[in-house]
């Protein structure tokens, strides 16, 4: 079922393309040796290059180039061995050079694709048009003084990847799924931390509407949207606004807009005249960037496993599609799961991670990067189940104690005497007592009410505080009742 | 290629350079003179010659790359020393209203 918005005059389709700015993970900036760490003292991570001082020359950071190539490879995109830096000229207080070094005509990465999964289980491929490297601008603070804006240049010159999609998305859900998937891929690759709160990833959302079957109509660009949820809201709000314009006989004008989160609407940015006339030209300070194909191959060979591949591998290990999906959403979760599953039954490991552990994380409001039970301890617990030291049921009690005390499972089982009883004479004694106490039910069972068998098992387990070996309890009961 | 007064005015606006209307005709004439001079390059036959970028022909050695190390920064006072106005560790500029 394709998504449409019902207007007063009929259904409308929504067309969305995203330009995502992703901050590259690197120690120093794209063209200077100043640090990139978040949250430093204002203007303490600024070189004369980043501040646009005259006479300074930019020198490119090899790691930033490598990160762009890795990202391109992760997006199954073409790597352009020859690319070039251009100047994008505009004036703003937090852009001291008066231009941003970017790549316009010859980006480092060309066409690629991203596969997204939708809530109905269907999959769709979204085209990537290009990826290029560019400098970030500084940060303006407008609310610190009645008549002045404050400028912090720490971010000035930090490397960004601008990742431009094709206009392939047709609903808010698809736009949200694309951004989430892109973030997941970048985090797996380790090329961007994806912290949208800190501005490490921001999206410009291009939206237009059309009648089903029509060609594209004029689009508007909603700037700087900083969460998956807001992207979805912005797409819908902007589409509804455009439908209203078209249906009232007006014409949508191409412009840059802002998403007002509080009111849930987009509004026009007081666009300066000529704002889009950037007068790009090749940066004379920078010769072309030529990549050695052997280096690109090296980077390709060292690429980590990507989420889609990892999920396929988990399914091949016997996990359900759902578990494989949930466990691969965050790279940290997958790493935790793999440590637990290492050398053990993967399905059992998946059940414990997605079941008990996730529930505990939710309950304790903690993150997989700061788990209340280490992967090593959880693995040890699974070993105790596997070698029948404890039953699965007792294991859940042990897990609760692990959450509370942080103790190792084996120590808990020892100190609290939770070891499973495998001595059949002890089980026989307990079973005989239970049967004697429930002579009426034994008679019913023997008369054909076989369902009562489970009741006897439960009673014996209860009498043994859950420590009876379940298989042995069953065996003994069958013998005694048989 | 040549420019007219309107184009020159627009370029000046984009570059944040103020040109009084009275100065426009002379500026148009001078710029057109420069353009005509550069036009001479068209006389060169560039058939089959790869375009150049940044002074290096296509296929020539790349941009030099540096290693990813923090070697700069920590000089906030030097960075701010020439600022026309500052507030604490920040540059201060007339309020930008969006």
């Amino acid at each position: 079922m394709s998504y449409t918005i019902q207007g007063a005059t009929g259904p409308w389709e929504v067309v969305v393309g995203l330009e995502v700015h992703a901050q590259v993970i690197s120690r120093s900036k794209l063209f200077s040796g100043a640090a990139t760490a978040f949250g430093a003292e204002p203007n303490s991570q600024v070189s004369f290059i980043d501040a646009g001082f005259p006479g300074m020359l930019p020198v490119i950071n090899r790691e930033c180039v490598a990160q762009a190539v890795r990202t391109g490879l992760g997006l199954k995109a073409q790597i352009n061995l020859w690319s070039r830096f251009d100047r994008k000229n505009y004036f703003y207080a937090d852009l001291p050079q008066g231009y941003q070094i970017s790549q316009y005509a010859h980006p480092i990465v060309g066409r690629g694709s991203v596969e997204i999964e939708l809530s109905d289980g269907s999959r769709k491929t979204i085209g990537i048009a290009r990826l290029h490297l560019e400098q970030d601008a500084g940060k303006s603070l407008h609310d610190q003084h009645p008549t002045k804006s404050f400028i912090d240049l720490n971010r000035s010159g930090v490397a960004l990847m601008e990742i431009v999609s094709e206009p392939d998305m047709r609903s808010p859900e698809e736009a949200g799924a694309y951004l989430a998937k892109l973030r997941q891929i970048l985090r797996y690759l380790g090329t961007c931390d994806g912290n949208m709160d800190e501005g490490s990833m921001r999206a410009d959302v291009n939206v237009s509407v059309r009648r089903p079957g029509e060609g594209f109509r004029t689009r508007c660009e909603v700037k700087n949207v900083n969460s998956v949820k807001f992207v979805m809201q912005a797409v819908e709000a902007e589409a509804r606004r455009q439908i209203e314009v078209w249906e009232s006989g007006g014409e949508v004008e191409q412009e840059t807009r802002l998403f007002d989160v509080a009111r849930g609407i987009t509004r026009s940015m007081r666009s300066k005249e000529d704002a889009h006339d950037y007068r790009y030209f090749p940066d004379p300070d920078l010769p072309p960037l030529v990549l050695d194909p052997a280096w690109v191959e090296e980077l390709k060979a060292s690429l980590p496993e990507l989420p889609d591949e990892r999920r396929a591998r988990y399914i091949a290990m016997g996990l359900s599609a759902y578990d494989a999906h949930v466990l691969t959403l965050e790279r940290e979760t997958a790493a935790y799961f793999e440590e637990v599953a290492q050398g053990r039954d993967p399905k059992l490991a998946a059940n414990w991670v997605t079941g008990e552990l996730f529930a505990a994380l939710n309950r304790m409001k903690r993150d997989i990067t700061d788990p209340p039970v280490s992967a090593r301890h959880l693995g040890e617990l699974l070993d105790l189940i596997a070698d029948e030291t404890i039953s699965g049921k007792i294991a859940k009690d042990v897990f609760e104690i692990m959450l509370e005390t942080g103790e190792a499972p084996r120590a808990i089982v020892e100190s609290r005497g939770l070891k499973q009883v495998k001595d059949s004479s002890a089980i026989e004694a307990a079973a005989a007592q239970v049967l004697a106490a429930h002579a009426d039910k034994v008679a019913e069972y023997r008369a054909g009410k076989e369902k009562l068998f489970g009741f006897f098992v439960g009673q014996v387990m209860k009498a043994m505080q859950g420590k009876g070996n379940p298989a042995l309890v069953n065996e003994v009961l069958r013998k005694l009742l048989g | 290629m040549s420019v007219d007064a309107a184009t020159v005015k627009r370029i000046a606006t984009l570059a944040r350079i103020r040109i009084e209307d009275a100065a426009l005709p002379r500026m148009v004439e001078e710029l057109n003179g420069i353009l005509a001079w550069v036009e001479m390059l068209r006389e060169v036959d560039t058939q089959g010659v790869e375009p150049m970028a940044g002074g290096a022909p296509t296929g020539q050695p790349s941009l030099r790359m540096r290693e990813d190390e923090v070697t700069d920064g920590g000089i906030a006072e030097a960075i701010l020393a020439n600022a026309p106005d500052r507030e604490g560790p920040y540059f201060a500029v007339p309020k930008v209203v969006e």
Side-chain angles (χ1 to χ4, degrees):
Chain A
M1 247 295 282
S2 63
Y3 173 94
T4 53
I5 293 179
Q6 196 63 33
T9 59
W12 293 83
E13 246 178 42
V14 182
V15 178
V16 186
L18 257 62
E19 292 167 23
V20 174
H21 297 263
Q23 185 179 320
V24 172
I25 294 177
S26 66
R27 283 188 283 271
S28 61
K29 295 182 180 181
L30 181 54
F31 292 112
S32 89
T36 59
F38 181 78
E41 283 297 304
N43 290 309
S44 66
Q45 297 179 164
V46 184
S47 76
F48 291 139
I49 296 171
D50 311 316
F53 278 39
M56 303 306 296
L57 281 176
V59 184
I60 200 163
N61 181 336
R62 180 190 306 275
E63 177 61 11
C64 294
V65 176
Q67 293 287 51
V69 171
R70 288 186 191 109
T71 306
L73 293 168
L75 300 174
K76 297 169 178 47
Q78 188 197 323
I79 306 302
N80 294 326
L81 298 178
W82 192 95
S83 68
R84 193 185 74 194
F85 287 91
D86 299 290
R87 290 187 179 177
K88 177 182 181 175
N89 301 279
Y90 67 95
F91 286 100
Y92 202 76
D94 55 25
L95 188 77
Q97 290 172 139
Y99 58 85
Q100 177 189 30
I101 303 179
S102 181
Q103 297 190 298
Y104 184 60
H106 298 281
I108 186 166
V109 175
R111 292 183 168 282
S113 65
V114 165
E115 197 175 64
I116 58 171
E117 182 168 306
L118 301 165
S119 58
D120 65 0
S122 66
R123 305 180 77 79
K124 181 173 177 177
T125 301
I126 306 298
I128 299 290
R130 59 185 282 163
L131 175 156
H132 67 253
L133 277 169
E134 63 183 26
Q135 297 176 302
D136 204 348
K139 196 169 100 186
S140 302
L141 294 95
H142 300 299
D143 53 3
Q144 307 286 309
H145 192 279
T147 59
K148 295 173 184 176
S149 288
F150 290 1
I151 311 292
D152 173 10
L153 296 180
N154 280 350
R155 226 176 54 194
S156 170
V158 168
L160 298 178
M161 297 179 282
E162 178 169 334
I163 304 164
V164 183
S165 84
E166 298 289 354
D168 286 348
M169 289 153 268
R170 294 289 176 272
S171 67
E173 190 200 353
E174 288 182 15
Y178 167 77
L179 183 59
K181 185 61 178 280
L182 193 58
R183 178 174 178 275
Q184 184 193 25
I185 292 172
L186 298 183
R187 284 171 51 81
Y188 265 70
L189 289 167
T191 59
C192 170
D193 66 23
N195 286 338
M196 303 189 86
D197 297 340
E198 295 175 4
S200 297
M201 250 182 116
R202 334 189 265 276
D204 296 343
V205 189
N206 287 290
V207 181
S208 66
V209 296
R210 64 178 177 186
R211 298 289 193 191
E214 263 187 0
F216 294 142
R217 295 196 185 201
T218 310
R219 65 184 162 85
C220 288
E221 182 182 9
V222 186
K223 275 272 186 210
N224 266 336
V225 187
N226 66 359
S227 82
V228 170
K229 193 177 92 186
F230 292 153
V231 163
M232 296 171 69
Q233 290 175 0
V235 168
E236 184 169 352
E238 176 57 15
R240 288 191 185 280
R241 183 192 72 85
Q242 290 181 16
I243 290 168
E244 226 178 274
V245 171
W246 289 119
E247 289 193 330
S248 61
E251 187 143 334
V252 170
E253 273 180 60
Q254 185 166 345
E255 62 174 346
T256 305
R257 302 180 66 85
L258 280 178
F259 182 57
D260 184 330
V261 173
R263 293 157 69 200
I265 56 164
T266 69
R267 56 187 168 79
S268 187
M269 275 173 83
R270 217 173 47 127
S271 58
K272 284 153 264 150
E273 208 183 338
D274 309 314
H276 284 285
D277 196 340
Y278 292 127
R279 293 151 295 140
Y280 285 98
F281 64 89
D283 191 312
D285 288 340
L286 296 161
L289 175 60
V290 184
L291 305 180
D292 178 355
W295 187 53
V296 173
E297 279 309 309
E298 236 173 78
L299 293 171
K300 190 173 190 171
S302 66
L303 229 49
E305 186 180 38
L306 289 166
D308 284 352
E309 298 160 5
R310 183 165 287 189
R311 188 175 50 190
R313 183 162 61 83
Y314 286 4
I315 291 172
M317 278 160 68
L319 265 55
S320 70
Y322 177 79
D323 281 352
H325 172 71
V326 173
L327 289 170
T328 52
L329 273 179
E330 298 286 345
R331 190 174 62 163
E332 291 82 359
T333 311
Y336 184 100
F337 162 70
E338 297 208 0
E339 192 181 339
V340 176
Q342 183 69 40
R344 306 190 175 95
D345 174 8
K347 278 171 85 167
L348 185 66
N351 286 343
W352 275 83
V353 173
T354 60
E356 304 303 315
L357 180 76
F358 279 10
L361 291 177
N362 265 336
R363 200 166 63 224
M364 302 167 85
K365 297 200 185 345
R366 278 169 78 161
D367 197 73
I368 193 79
T369 56
D370 170 36
V373 166
S374 71
R376 193 169 58 81
H377 278 174
L378 182 52
E380 221 179 280
L381 182 65
L382 301 197
D383 288 342
L384 295 176
I385 302 172
D387 69 12
E388 299 192 334
T389 304
I390 53 172
S391 66
K393 191 165 175 302
I394 290 285
K396 293 194 179 180
D397 299 337
V398 174
F399 186 77
E400 287 303 318
I401 299 169
M402 289 162 75
L403 287 178
E404 277 168 35
T405 65
E407 277 176 71
R410 202 173 295 277
I412 292 170
V413 169
E414 296 285 344
S415 67
R416 290 172 174 72
L418 297 172
K419 254 192 185 156
Q420 186 159 264
V421 176
K422 284 186 270 187
D423 167 8
S424 51
S425 62
I427 294 172
E428 266 169 37
Q433 261 184 8
V434 165
L435 297 187
H438 298 282
D440 49 339
K441 294 232 165 47
V442 173
E444 281 177 54
Y445 176 82
R446 291 206 164 114
K449 202 168 172 192
E450 286 183 12
K451 269 199 284 186
L452 279 169
F453 190 76
F455 166 78
F456 295 128
V457 172
Q459 289 301 310
V460 174
M461 287 301 257
K462 192 173 160 194
M464 304 185 71
Q465 293 106 42
K467 289 184 285 184
N469 174 298
L472 278 179
V473 169
N474 271 270
E475 199 186 304
V476 165
L477 276 170
R478 275 194 208 289
K479 200 173 74 188
L480 293 178
L481 287 163
Chain B
M1 194 192 211
S2 67
V3 292
D4 57 14
T7 307
V8 171
K9 217 173 161 165
R10 181 171 154 74
I11 296 167
T13 307
L14 288 171
R16 303 294 186 275
I17 295 171
R18 186 194 304 171
I19 297 180
E20 306 299 340
D21 282 351
L24 268 179
R26 192 177 142 217
M27 192 63 79
V28 169
E29 200 187 312
E30 285 183 356
L31 281 172
N32 280 333
I34 294 168
L35 286 168
W37 182 68
V38 175
E39 281 292 273
M40 284 200 314
L41 287 174
R42 282 182 191 273
E43 291 169 21
V44 181
D45 181 10
T46 55
Q47 199 74 32
V49 179
E50 289 270 319
M52 291 169 74
T58 308
Q60 287 300 292
S62 171
L63 197 54
R64 190 172 71 79
M65 297 196 233
R66 54 168 236 280
E67 294 310 313
D68 181 26
E69 283 155 12
V70 176
T71 57
D72 209 338
I75 47 167
E77 280 310 312
I79 293 292
L80 287 157
N82 294 321
D85 189 13
R86 62 182 281 185
E87 288 283 342
Y90 294 100
F91 292 93
V93 298
K95 195 164 194 121
V96 183
V97 188
E98 184 51 71

